[in-house]
């Protein structure tokens, strides 16, 4: 590894961490290389809402000093990371991609951020996202869209498009995302990166601004399965500050990624999550990956999850219902934006004017949908029914996991679409998450990893691996095996090809 910035930004986090630990390169050098890359390309990509350059360099200096004095360093010490702007970080603006939080500086760190700091990682800044994590393209950010580094006219996925684009553009070697219905996995799929939604309760939600509390989960974003595993091991684990946090040992994801052996493993192909509605190029790469897994010694079986057909409908009742309640706290009184506070309006009017001006169209749409679904007279017919469907989906998973150790599907039906193509068509936008949503509803875990480029448009295709609750290690076992097989035949997917940048 040379110390040239162009070389440093292309290294895996694992390699950077080892080099920093050995004293081959300093954290300051690595951090400066990434800050320079951000300065060079982020005008075009717009992955970041906030770059905390000064604080990053300060942390990097401290890590280098700590190493110099021979003290023990954390895992991934000195390695830079980008954080989705939905997690609080003390003193740094947290907007959730919304005008309504403009100017708000949280007085505390989320647990995820606190754990990154405890592991001596260097936080580069906050990444762009769809407003309050509602969307699949990052076009619903109040601060303008993020562009996909593979083709700047295309979307990087959403809601965590900023984190995924930062990785694909080599602006950061690691990032944090959050996934309520696919917001880590879908951006990973369309940017050729790796993203993991951990088991619900596996990573603390303390300081994660809530979209739908029963679905939200933060997780690792990376350019390789091993890098994701290392980051997973840093952020996961019990937190008494989150009442839904699981008090049990974290599955050994790093050991699983190292083992990378699928011999004798049963892999279930979910019938309902491929075929109609999926692009031929996506299906072609998916099928090839399945054959590779078989070649590696896995046993592939077909499984059926008939209730998955109702997942999207149930999700778009449960999510808006919870969101309408969670977002009630943004009323112009406590955080960020306040409109009409000139003495001529009542408190109610100020609240209403602030919400009118502060929320975008998609957020308003979901608040109205959710309020309606929860209203008396409609509650049983909508919210109540959706909760029953949720139970059926969990039962489908249980039945499938009796036949297979992991399940697989394409992560998304299509590759990255053009900016503007679906932004005015909510249903078309929602359909991007058709394969990712069942996992959130059931609370188990899943990974998306790149399996090549679609022959039709030369854009990345993602494969999704799903595992039972608290069996996150299986994602890494299978993901790592598949990744190394693919890397053997195609070379590193991302390194040589990032057009336009
Ligand atoms: N795209 C989905 C939605 O709009 C998922 C969002 C998410 O996971 N945060 O709700």
């Amino acid at each position: 590894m040379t110390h040239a910035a162009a070389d440093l930004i292309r290294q895996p986090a694992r390699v950077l961490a080892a080099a920093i630990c050995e004293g081959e390169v300093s954290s300051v050098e690595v951090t400066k290389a990434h800050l320079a890359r951000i300065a060079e390309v982020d005008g075009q990509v717009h992955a970041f809402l906030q770059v905390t350059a000064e604080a990053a360099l300060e942390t990097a200096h401290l890590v280098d000093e700590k190493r110099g004095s021979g003290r023990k360093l954390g895992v991934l010490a000195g390695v830079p990371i980008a954080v989705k702007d939905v997690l609080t970080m003390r003193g740094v603006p947290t907007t959730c991609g919304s005008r309504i939080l403009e100017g708000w500086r949280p007085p505390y760190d989320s647990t995820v951020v606190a754990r990154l700091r405890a592991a001596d990682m260097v936080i580069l800044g906050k990444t762009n996202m769809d407003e309050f994590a509602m969307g699949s393209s990052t076009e619903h950010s109040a601060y303008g869209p993020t562009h996909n580094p593979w083709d700047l006219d295309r979307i990087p996925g959403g809601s965590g498009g900023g984190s995924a684009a930062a990785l694909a553009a080599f602006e950061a070697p690691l990032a944090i995302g959050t996934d309520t219905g696919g917001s880590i996995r879908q951006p990973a799929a369309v940017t050729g990166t790796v993203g993991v939604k951990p088991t619900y309760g596996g990573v603390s939600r303390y300081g994660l601004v809530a979209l739908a509390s029963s679905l939200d989960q933060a997780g690792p974003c990376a350019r390789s399965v091993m890098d994701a595993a290392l980051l997973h091991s840093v952020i996961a684990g019990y937190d008494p500050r989150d009442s839904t946090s699981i008090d049990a040992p974290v599955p050994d994801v790093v050991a699983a990624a190292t083992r990378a052996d699928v011999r004798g493993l049963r892999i279930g192909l979910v019938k309902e999550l491929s075929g109609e509605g999926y692009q031929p190029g996506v299906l072609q790469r998916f099928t090839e990956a399945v054959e590779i897994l078989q070649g590696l010694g896995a046993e592939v079986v077909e499984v059926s999850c008939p209730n998955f057909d109702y997942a999207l409908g149930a999700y778009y009742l449960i999510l808006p219902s919870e969101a309408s309640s969670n977002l009630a706290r943004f009323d112009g009184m406590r955080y960020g934006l306040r409109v009409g506070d000139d003495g001529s309006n009542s408190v109610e009017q100020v609240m209403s004017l602030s919400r009118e001006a502060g929320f975008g169209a998609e957020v308003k749409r979901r608040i109205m949908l959710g309020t309606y679904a929860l209203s008396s007279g409609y509650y049983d017919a909508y919210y109540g029914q959706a909760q029953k469907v949720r139970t059926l989906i969990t039962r489908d998973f249980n039945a499938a996991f009796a036949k297979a150790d992991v399940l697989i599907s394409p992560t998304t039906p299509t590759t990255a679409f053009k900016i503007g193509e679906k932004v005015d068509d909510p249903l078309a936008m929602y359909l991007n998450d058709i394969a990712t949503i069942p996992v959130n509803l059931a609370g188990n875990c899943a990974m998306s990893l790149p399996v090549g480029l679609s022959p039709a448009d030369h854009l990345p295709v993602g494969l999704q691996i799903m595992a039972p609750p608290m069996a996150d290690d299986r994602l890494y076992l299978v993901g790592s095996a598949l990744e190394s097989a693919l890397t053997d035949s195609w070379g590193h997917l991302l390194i040589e090809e990032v057009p336009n940048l």
Side-chain angles (χ1 to χ4, degrees):
M1 179 168 61
T2 72
H3 288 209
D7 189 22
L8 289 178
I9 58 169
R10 281 171 167 75
Q11 298 298 329
R14 166 182 56 83
V15 172
L16 290 174
I20 291 167
C21 191
E22 294 300 317
E24 281 169 34
V25 67
S26 69
S27 174
V28 168
E29 280 177 279
V30 171
T31 304
K32 280 188 176 162
H34 286 94
L35 289 172
R37 177 68 174 172
I38 293 170
E40 183 195 343
V41 301
D42 209 52
Q44 298 171 70
V45 178
H46 191 41
F48 285 85
L49 289 177
Q50 190 77 230
V51 179
T52 50
E54 233 171 85
L57 284 170
E58 213 171 286
T59 309
H61 269 294
L62 288 174
V63 175
D64 289 337
E65 266 175 34
K66 195 169 169 183
R67 199 202 81 81
S69 68
R71 274 179 292 160
K72 196 175 169 335
L73 293 175
V75 188
L76 294 173
V79 177
I81 185 163
V83 177
K84 188 177 177 183
D85 201 24
V86 68
L87 287 149
T88 62
M89 195 169 147
R90 189 165 18 89
V92 176
T94 297
T95 67
C96 299
S98 181
R99 290 273 171 222
I100 207 154
L101 277 173
E102 212 163 21
W104 181 57
R105 289 173 188 265
Y108 70 107
D109 277 342
S110 52
T111 296
V112 167
V113 164
R115 289 190 178 179
L116 300 179
R117 292 194 203 279
D120 296 317
M121 295 187 70
V122 175
I123 299 173
L124 293 171
K126 308 295 290 294
T127 56
N128 198 12
M129 55 185 282
D130 285 297
E131 185 173 5
F132 286 108
M134 298 180 190
S136 302
S137 67
T138 319
E139 292 168 288
H140 294 315
S141 167
Y143 303 96
T146 296
H147 300 258
N148 191 323
W150 289 84
D151 174 351
L152 295 171
D153 291 334
R154 292 181 189 266
I155 59 97
S159 63
S163 284
L167 295 171
F170 301 102
E171 295 173 89
L174 290 170
I176 296 288
T178 60
D179 191 312
T180 304
S183 288
I184 290 176
R185 290 163 286 158
Q186 184 256 359
V190 300
T191 58
T193 57
V194 176
V196 176
K197 190 213 86 85
T199 297
Y200 183 80
V203 175
S204 171
R205 289 185 298 109
Y206 178 74
L208 192 182
V209 180
L211 166 55
S213 311
S214 76
L215 304 162
D216 298 341
Q217 195 61 200
C221 309
R223 286 194 297 262
S224 73
V225 173
M226 179 54 86
D227 280 0
L230 291 166
L231 181 55
H232 193 129
S233 72
V234 166
I235 59 173
Y238 178 61
D239 178 12
R241 287 171 154 160
D242 170 1
S243 62
T244 57
S245 176
I246 297 175
D247 191 0
V250 179
D252 195 343
V253 293
V254 175
T258 309
R259 191 149 74 84
D261 182 1
V262 293
R263 275 173 300 173
L265 208 78
R266 296 166 309 160
I267 296 182
L269 239 154
V270 184
K271 199 171 80 160
E272 288 75 10
L273 298 183
S274 62
E276 211 193 318
Y278 289 75
Q279 282 175 345
V282 169
L283 291 176
Q284 188 183 326
R285 286 298 178 226
F286 174 69
T287 308
E288 286 168 7
V290 174
E291 284 161 10
I292 290 174
L293 285 167
Q294 272 171 322
L296 292 171
E299 183 195 330
V300 176
V301 294
E302 193 179 85
V303 297
S304 175
C305 297
N307 293 297
F308 283 15
D309 289 346
Y310 309 111
L312 195 76
Y315 173 86
Y316 276 101
L317 287 168
I318 293 169
L319 176 136
S321 298
E322 293 189 24
S324 68
S325 164
N326 277 326
L327 269 53
R329 63 173 68 97
F330 303 113
D331 56 5
M333 296 294 124
R334 285 166 286 193
Y335 316 92
L337 186 77
R338 180 179 297 171
V339 176
D341 185 16
D342 56 8
S344 67
N345 295 304
S346 68
V347 173
E348 285 77 10
Q349 282 168 325
V350 172
M351 287 179 174
S352 163
L353 289 168
S354 301
R355 284 167 73 82
E356 168 61 33
F359 287 139
E362 181 62 24
V363 174
K364 287 177 184 159
R365 178 180 297 123
R366 297 206 196 182
I367 291 174
M368 287 188 278
L369 265 171
T371 311
Y372 183 77
L374 291 176
S375 58
S376 76
Y378 295 103
Y379 182 98
D380 287 341
Y382 293 112
Y383 183 75
Q385 280 298 107
Q387 289 289 31
K388 288 179 189 162
V389 171
R390 193 170 185 176
T391 304
L392 295 177
I393 286 165
T394 305
R395 284 188 195 154
D396 276 4
F397 268 120
N398 291 345
F401 285 128
K403 295 195 188 113
D405 302 298
V406 296
L407 307 178
I408 55 170
S409 75
T411 309
T412 54
T414 72
T415 55
F417 48 91
K418 286 255 162 71
I419 290 178
E421 198 179 313
K422 299 187 182 174
V423 73
D424 297 322
D425 184 348
L427 258 186
M429 192 68 89
Y430 298 169
L431 281 166
N432 288 294
D433 301 303
I434 192 120
T436 48
I437 278 172
V439 167
N440 300 81
L441 289 171
N444 54 320
C445 55
M447 166 189 287
S448 177
L449 80 157
V451 289
L453 305 181
S454 163
D457 51 20
H458 303 287
L459 291 167
V461 173
L463 176 138
Q464 175 176 230
I465 308 166
M466 296 163 271
M470 289 310 269
D472 305 49
D473 49 336
R474 290 187 206 168
L475 306 174
Y476 291 92
L477 186 70
V478 178
S480 189
L482 182 56
E483 180 188 63
S484 44
L486 288 168
T487 308
D488 286 342
S489 47
W490 294 332
H492 196 296
L493 189 67
L494 266 171
I495 297 294
E496 301 308 330
E497 305 186 52
V498 181
N500 299 330
L501 289 170

